[in-house]
Amino acid sequence: MKNQLTFLSQVGIEKVKSRPTDDCPFCNRSGLTGIIAEDGPILLVENKYATIRDTYQTVLIETDCCDVGILEYSLDHVIRLLRFGLKHWERMKQSGDFQSVLFFKNHGPLSGGSVAHAHMQLVGLKHVDYRNEIPMDTFTGETIIQDGSVHFSLSTSPLASFSEFNLIIGDTKELEKVAIHLKNAVDYILNKMNCRSYNLFFYDMEGKIYLKVVPRYPASPYTIGYHLKQVNDNIGDKAREIAQEYYLNMGYGGR
């Protein structure tokens, strides 16, 4: 397969053996090594257990508190976090060392993460360009709100299945708007959809930054066995419902 990633099994075994299940490696800040950058409680560190061949893996630790996440963060902290992450994502992209750089977040038991403490990952791929695998129509959808250069929608062509939120970021100077809509998407997933897990995925495509907020459920056999995606038949209704609850009822007219 052209864009297949190779998992280093022995490193994965060492990672599992490295700590007791009740020991959070990100809470023990004095024990962290390979610190690349920091901004108050936010840290970027080298991943001690790089499990993918031909990559440079880093971890962005979002906070020094172990039991909080995007929903609990202040708006200012989300803005600070986005600014920090986008800055170092851009730095890695501009280094010339990688074909492409992944920027994503796991949250919850079905998200693919192994540490509960809130974090993101920046992964430089030396020989793979992820953009070759991403169809641009996945970023089209039913509009929830157009807020300046930031477009917030529900995808009509999801990468996985069902409801995926899209944020198209036309201008990174408008991170306050991005933070507001990101917090709303996470709130909807965790509290309205009653879903415990989600992922964030950032994409650098055709001169714009795209962000997907994807609820995670047990994978469907349609998706795993046949790569067939299921799309809700009421996406338009859902988009209008979200717009009503989070924006119109709250008197939000944009920033």
Side-chain angles (χ1 to χ4, degrees):
M1 296 178 66
K2 183 179 179 182
N3 277 352
Q4 182 170 280
L5 300 176
T6 301
F7 181 79
L8 301 175
S9 302
Q10 188 57 44
V11 178
I13 293 171
E14 292 171 4
K15 179 179 179 180
V16 172
K17 290 181 177 179
S18 67
R19 61 182 176 88
T21 57
D22 59 350
D23 180 26
C24 175
F26 300 156
C27 284
N28 180 21
R29 296 220 156 188
S30 63
L32 290 173
T33 59
I35 296 175
I36 300 167
E38 60 184 299
D39 180 8
I42 304 170
L43 292 178
L44 182 67
V45 301
E46 292 183 346
N47 193 326
K48 189 175 181 180
Y49 297 98
T51 56
I52 307 297
R53 180 179 293 162
D54 293 328
T55 65
Y56 177 63
Q57 296 178 238
T58 68
V59 178
L60 194 167
I61 303 171
E62 300 175 21
T63 175
D64 52 9
C65 299
C66 199
D67 56 353
V68 296
I70 286 174
L71 202 56
E72 292 78 27
Y73 298 157
S74 69
L75 183 63
D76 285 344
H77 187 76
V78 178
I79 296 168
R80 185 180 189 180
L81 180 62
L82 289 170
R83 185 175 292 118
F84 182 90
L86 291 172
K87 172 185 174 181
H88 289 283
W89 187 36
E90 186 64 25
R91 179 186 61 80
M92 288 181 67
K93 289 188 292 180
Q94 293 299 324
S95 71
D97 295 333
F98 312 108
Q99 285 287 318
S100 62
V101 182
L102 307 179
F103 181 15
F104 62 93
K105 171 182 174 62
N106 307 319
H107 174 93
L110 296 179
S111 67
S114 59
V115 178
H117 192 124
H119 66 285
M120 300 180 181
Q121 296 185 55
L122 292 163
V123 180
L125 306 179
K126 295 182 180 180
H127 306 302
V128 173
D129 190 339
Y130 73 84
R131 290 164 291 199
N132 294 333
E133 306 299 312
I134 308 299
M136 287 302 298
D137 66 355
T138 191
F139 302 115
T140 61
E142 293 285 348
T143 298
I144 297 170
I145 188 171
Q146 178 72 50
D147 193 3
S149 73
V150 179
H151 185 249
F152 184 33
S153 70
L154 277 176
S155 178
T156 49
S157 183
L159 287 177
S161 286
F162 303 112
S163 299
E164 292 180 2
F165 289 93
N166 292 330
L167 276 162
I168 303 175
I169 306 168
D171 187 346
T172 55
K173 293 179 182 178
E174 297 192 300
L175 289 184
E176 180 181 2
K177 297 174 182 178
V178 178
I180 289 169
H181 307 318
L182 173 57
K183 282 176 70 68
N184 287 343
V186 171
D187 180 73
Y188 189 83
I189 289 170
L190 296 180
N191 293 322
K192 308 299 182 183
M193 298 174 69
N194 295 316
C195 179
R196 297 174 59 200
S197 303
Y198 67 87
N199 290 108
L200 305 184
F201 299 106
F202 292 81
Y203 308 86
D204 178 8
M205 309 276 289
E206 298 186 356
K208 290 184 179 180
I209 293 174
Y210 298 83
L211 168 58
K212 273 190 175 287
V213 190
V214 181
R216 293 294 303 274
Y217 300 98
S220 163
Y222 295 111
T223 304
I224 297 299
Y226 304 101
H227 207 215
L228 295 173
K229 301 160 190 176
Q230 299 174 79
V231 182
N232 287 334
D233 63 358
N234 61 345
I235 290 178
D237 292 338
K238 285 294 181 184
R240 287 186 287 274
E241 173 189 308
I242 294 165
Q244 184 72 43
E245 179 168 354
Y246 287 89
Y247 301 103
L248 298 178
N249 289 351
M250 301 299 291
Y252 182 88
R255 292 292 176 95

